[in-house]
């Protein structure tokens, strides 16, 4: 079946048909997906009933895998999934929802703030691929915001003000915004800030976009309050409803997004219900700013 893409909602989200992830994809299919990702920035694949291994194989046919090592508060013996997956479920090792006041959950719900995956890594993520296994009875949408359109819509003065700026990203900053300050010395060292440019140019399309994320907590050379307020204003601009696609999950959905030019956030759902979603991630092409590897 040929690969087809039709727009869903705003112009940066498309729904793909003609791909069956239970089988290896052909080089032509991989090329069609990459071209689709260049044209859109979010692609939705419905009714994919795949195993963890099949998700992994599909992901690896699109690029180099990013591992999720040391990015959450789960200890090694508490991991539910191997580190080739980012476990963004609300479940413990025994597949039970984490208690409402569990510190691993309170850290993880920082994902409900607008962010770009792994912007806290020296080499941030390219694509994220999220697969829906168990979906709560209500809520739990993932919302995406188009950072190209947001950049284009800035006035000239603000574009000039953003040019050349470098931000400091850390999961400590995003969690502080949610009132989570309870880090151990080991975690503070592990979540040391990294540098990212505020404007990115897409390697395939040459289009500029804002590179925002709740992980951004400072701008190099700026006083902290001024930086945070400047970033807050940009975030407010960039997440206006006209730039947003809200994905309502169905079991068997796999959604791919380009972290280099979108932000996303999870929406709330009943805490006692399981939400089992499994993410694989592709590594970006390199750091956005030259810096020492973390
Ligand atoms: Fe995320």
């Amino acid at each position: 079946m040929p690969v087809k893409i039709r727009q869903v909602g705003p112009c940066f989200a498309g729904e793909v048909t003609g791909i069956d992830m239970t089988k290896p994809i052909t080089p032509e299919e991989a090329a069609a997906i990459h071209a689709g990702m260049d044209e859109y920035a979010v692609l939705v694949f419905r009714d994919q009933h795949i195993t963890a291994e099949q998700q992994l194989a599909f992901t690896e046919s699109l690029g180099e895998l990013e591992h999720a090592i040391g990015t959450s508060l789960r200890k090694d013996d508490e991991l539910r999934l191997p580190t080739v997956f980012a476990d963004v479920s609300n479940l413990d090792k025994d597949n039970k929802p984490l208690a409402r006041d569990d510190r691993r959950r309170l850290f993880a719900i920082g994902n409900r703030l607008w962010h770009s995956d792994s912007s806290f890594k020296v080499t941030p993520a390219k694509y994220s691929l999220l697969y829906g296994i168990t979906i709560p009875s209500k809520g739990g949408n993932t919302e995406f915001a188009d950072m190209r359109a947001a950049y284009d819509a800035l006035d000239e003065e603000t574009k000039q003000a953003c040019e050349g700026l470098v931000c400091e990203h850390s999961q400590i900053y995003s969690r502080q915004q949610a009132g989570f300050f309870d880090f151990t010395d080991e975690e503070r060292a592990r979540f040391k800030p990294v540098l990212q440019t505020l404007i990115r140019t897409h390697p395939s399309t040459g289009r500029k976009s804002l590179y925002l994320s709740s992980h951004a907590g400072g701008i190099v050379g700026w006083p902290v309050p001024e930086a945070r307020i400047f970033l807050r204003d940009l975030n407010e601009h960039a997440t206006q409803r006209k730039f947003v696609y809200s994905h309502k999950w169905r079991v068997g959905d796999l959604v791919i997004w380009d972290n280099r030019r979108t932000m996303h956030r999870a929406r709330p759902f009943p805490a006692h219900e399981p939400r089992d979603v499994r993410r694989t991630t592709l590594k970006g092409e390199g750091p956005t700013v030259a810096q020492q590897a973390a």
Side-chain angles (χ1 to χ4, degrees):
M1 216 176 22
V3 178
K4 286 198 181 138
I5 306 177
R6 73 175 178 91
Q7 189 179 317
V8 283
C11 61
F12 70 105
E15 187 174 317
V16 183
T17 51
I19 295 285
D20 175 1
M21 295 175 199
T22 63
K23 302 192 184 93
I25 57 165
T26 64
E28 293 72 30
E29 288 171 333
I33 293 169
H34 284 300
M37 287 299 291
D38 285 345
E39 187 181 346
Y40 298 87
V42 178
L43 290 179
V44 177
F45 302 72
R46 301 277 193 189
D47 301 314
Q48 301 291 330
H49 298 284
I50 52 171
T51 63
E53 291 69 31
Q54 287 165 339
Q55 180 177 348
L56 205 53
F58 173 72
T59 305
E60 287 183 310
S61 62
L62 295 176
E64 188 189 343
L65 205 65
E66 179 193 285
H67 291 249
I69 297 171
T71 54
S72 78
L73 298 193
R74 292 175 195 254
K75 300 195 169 59
D76 287 350
D77 61 355
E78 294 170 349
L79 294 177
R80 199 176 63 99
L81 301 174
T83 56
V84 286
F85 298 101
D87 190 352
V88 285
S89 76
N90 64 337
L91 305 174
D92 67 14
K93 214 168 107 178
D94 302 316
N95 290 312
K96 298 266 182 317
L98 294 164
R100 195 164 176 198
D101 61 352
D102 190 299
R103 122 178 237 282
R104 293 166 296 180
R105 171 180 181 270
L106 297 177
F107 179 83
I109 62 172
N111 285 328
R112 295 182 189 177
L113 300 173
W114 287 105
H115 67 282
S116 175
D117 286 337
S118 304
S119 74
F120 51 81
K121 292 187 177 176
V122 169
T123 294
K126 182 182 180 185
Y127 301 162
S128 291
L129 299 85
L130 191 62
Y131 180 59
I133 301 162
T134 308
I135 303 302
S137 62
K138 60 179 176 182
N141 283 13
T142 303
E143 293 185 340
F144 298 92
D146 182 358
M147 294 298 107
R148 297 171 297 189
Y151 175 80
D152 289 347
L154 290 174
D155 59 53
E156 268 320 303
E157 197 183 334
T158 312
K159 280 182 185 167
Q160 286 308 318
C162 292
E163 202 62 47
L165 293 182
V166 172
C167 298
E168 295 167 5
H169 290 234
S170 164
Q171 293 199 91
I172 291 177
Y173 299 141
S174 47
R175 274 53 192 183
Q176 282 176 344
Q177 285 189 46
F180 186 106
F181 300 98
D182 161 33
F183 290 101
T184 65
D185 290 345
E186 181 276 320
E187 287 159 356
R188 281 183 193 281
R190 181 148 54 91
F191 299 141
K192 195 168 102 352
V194 305
L195 302 179
Q196 305 292 358
T197 53
L198 178 57
I199 296 177
R200 295 186 77 169
T201 302
H202 198 274
S204 318
T205 65
R207 278 185 69 176
K208 284 186 174 181
S209 59
L210 282 169
Y211 191 42
L212 293 169
S213 188
S214 58
H215 305 310
I219 299 174
V220 174
W222 285 40
V224 171
E226 192 178 0
R228 292 211 181 171
I229 289 167
F230 183 74
L231 292 171
R232 184 174 286 217
D233 279 349
L234 287 177
N235 274 286
E236 207 173 288
H237 160 80
T239 56
Q240 296 174 69
R241 294 318 289 182
K242 63 182 174 184
F243 301 133
V244 171
Y245 163 64
S246 182
H247 183 71
K248 185 172 168 50
W249 286 90
R250 285 190 223 150
V251 171
D253 285 353
L254 186 135
V255 181
I256 311 184
W257 63 89
D258 189 341
N259 287 293
R260 301 168 299 181
R261 54 187 180 154
T262 57
M263 277 205 290
H264 61 281
R265 64 173 179 176
R267 301 302 290 144
F269 59 93
H272 61 280
E273 290 190 24
R275 179 177 189 257
D276 190 358
V277 285
R278 184 172 62 205
R279 194 184 93 206
T280 39
T281 314
L282 291 180
K283 205 171 170 180
E285 37 295 294
T288 66
V289 179
Q291 63 200 288
Q292 226 174 6

